Amino acid sequence: RFPARTTHLFDLVPVLRGDHDVVSMVKQLEVDRVMLAPGFTESRRRVEMVCELSELGVHVDLVPSWSDVIGARLDLHEMEGMPLLTVPRTGLRRSSRALKRALDLAVATLALVVLSPLLFACAGAIRLESPGGVFFRQRRVGRDGEPFDLIKFRSMYIDADVRKTEVAQLNFHGGGNSNGMFKIREDPRITRVGRFLRRFSLDEMPQLINIVRGEMSLVGPRPLIENEDRQVEGRYRRRLLLTPGLTGSWQVNGRSEIPFEEMVSLDYLYVTNWSIWGDTKLILRTFAAVLRGRGAY
């Protein structure tokens, strides 16, 4: 039984508010693992608490205060018996860029060939349902701030831009059509075919052409429109060190449901912690995210 003043986070996780004796609670609830977040308590008491919990045989994790800036990839060194955590340099070596580009080109070219029947089927369905072109092109900001035209299958009616102001109040990110990202659940401007394409991210497939051109990568930071890019400041501008991706951390963690600030932070951590294995895991997680359909608006 939990102490008084307990609430629930997302109706799932019990949350205790106010000051509590953590060690006593661990004993009472027979807790096996404790994670201490930065700022949980003052430094001296924090050390005592770790020692007491360790003596009880409890697994203790310490969340560093800089984890939202540096990420998880640190090198452990030693100097005169003192352990040192070395922060990796931001950005990719030339050899890593060449390897990433070679993989992008090989996979995107093969995917365009293998998926060509599906691409033609999507294009035909769009053409049959509503007037207008098959493709939708939008100006995005790429690596080093260079603009490019991102290609997608058209999923909206041709008057969608004209109607943007009238639906601005439906933007669930709360920024209208000027601040943050512009995302609407059940957007009335989306066609029936477009809704199906978005549900399974099929509208994104023409971006394989952007990848072949070198304007995008299979995995990378989210390609922002120019208005969104102007809102990114400070160290988060380093997201432009890498080529934007067809998928990325934002895709596997909720896509459109992620707030703009969190999306920018995830992209910064991706740039800081890049690795081929990390890209591979994100691609595999993308398939699961697409099947769930979470955030696909």
Side-chain angles (χ1 to χ4, degrees):
R1 177 178 297 178
F2 290 98
R5 300 185 66 186
T6 302
T7 58
H8 283 74
L9 179 65
F10 302 126
D11 296 323
L12 296 174
V13 182
V15 178
L16 305 181
R17 302 190 181 279
D19 295 327
H20 297 279
D21 187 334
V22 175
V23 177
S24 297
M25 289 174 54
V26 167
K27 293 178 181 179
Q28 177 186 350
L29 302 175
E30 299 181 353
V31 174
D32 298 317
R33 183 171 184 172
V34 172
M35 298 179 68
L36 296 178
F40 175 75
T41 185
E42 56 96 13
S43 178
R44 183 173 180 179
R45 175 54 188 151
R46 186 184 178 92
V47 173
E48 294 175 353
M49 187 184 303
V50 170
C51 293
E52 292 178 29
L53 292 174
S54 297
E55 291 173 359
L56 293 174
V58 176
H59 181 122
V60 180
D61 292 305
L62 303 177
V63 181
S65 59
W66 29 256
S67 60
D68 59 338
V69 176
I70 297 175
R73 199 184 69 178
L74 294 173
D75 296 323
L76 179 63
H77 298 281
E78 181 180 317
M79 183 178 68
E80 301 295 334
M82 178 184 298
L84 300 175
L85 293 175
T86 302
V87 179
R89 292 182 179 180
T90 303
L92 273 64
R93 297 185 179 91
R94 184 175 300 177
S95 59
S96 297
R97 289 187 186 276
L99 176 59
K100 185 174 173 63
R101 175 59 186 153
L103 291 174
D104 285 341
L105 187 59
V107 173
T109 302
L110 179 62
L112 282 172
V113 173
V114 173
L115 297 175
S116 57
L118 180 58
L119 291 167
F120 282 115
C122 292
I126 294 170
R127 179 76 71 180
L128 287 174
E129 184 189 22
S130 62
V134 169
F135 296 112
F136 169 75
R137 290 175 173 82
Q138 188 176 50
R139 202 72 164 169
R140 299 291 180 103
V141 178
R143 177 183 162 192
D144 297 329
E146 290 294 323
F148 70 98
D149 290 329
L150 180 140
I151 308 172
K152 301 175 69 172
F153 278 131
R154 180 174 59 85
S155 59
M156 291 186 172
Y157 294 103
I158 58 175
D159 63 346
D161 282 340
V162 178
R163 299 170 58 191
K164 187 173 182 178
T165 302
E166 68 182 62
V167 298
Q169 73 277 4
L170 301 177
N171 181 7
F172 61 81
H173 284 294
N177 56 11
S178 58
N179 296 320
M181 291 185 292
F182 189 87
K183 295 294 179 181
I184 298 174
R185 299 184 180 93
E186 303 298 328
D187 194 325
R189 302 172 300 159
I190 300 177
T191 64
R192 286 180 300 175
V193 170
R195 200 168 302 281
F196 176 83
L197 295 178
R198 289 190 176 203
R199 169 62 179 79
F200 296 101
S201 296
L202 298 176
D203 61 319
E204 311 281 354
M205 289 194 301
Q207 291 170 44
L208 291 169
I209 300 173
N210 290 118
I211 295 175
V212 172
R213 291 176 176 175
E215 299 162 336
M216 292 184 64
S217 177
L218 289 171
V219 184
R222 184 177 186 271
L224 300 180
I225 61 175
E226 293 174 325
N227 178 55
E228 293 171 345
D229 177 72
R230 286 191 288 269
Q231 300 173 49
V232 180
E233 300 176 342
R235 64 175 179 270
Y236 298 109
R237 298 293 299 172
R238 294 183 183 178
R239 65 192 309 281
L240 298 176
L241 292 175
L242 292 186
T243 306
L246 175 63
T247 187
S249 300
W250 48 274
Q251 176 87 345
V252 301
N253 286 288
R255 289 191 275 188
S256 299
E257 293 186 351
I258 297 180
F260 183 78
E261 294 77 11
E262 183 178 343
M263 180 272 296
V264 171
S265 179
L266 286 172
D267 282 346
Y268 177 83
L269 289 177
Y270 169 80
V271 172
T272 305
N273 294 272
W274 181 88
S275 69
I276 285 292
W277 174 235
D279 276 8
T280 303
K281 290 192 292 185
L282 284 172
I283 290 174
L284 294 176
R285 291 177 62 191
T286 297
F287 290 113
V290 169
L291 290 176
R292 288 195 304 268
R294 179 188 171 194
Y297 304 125

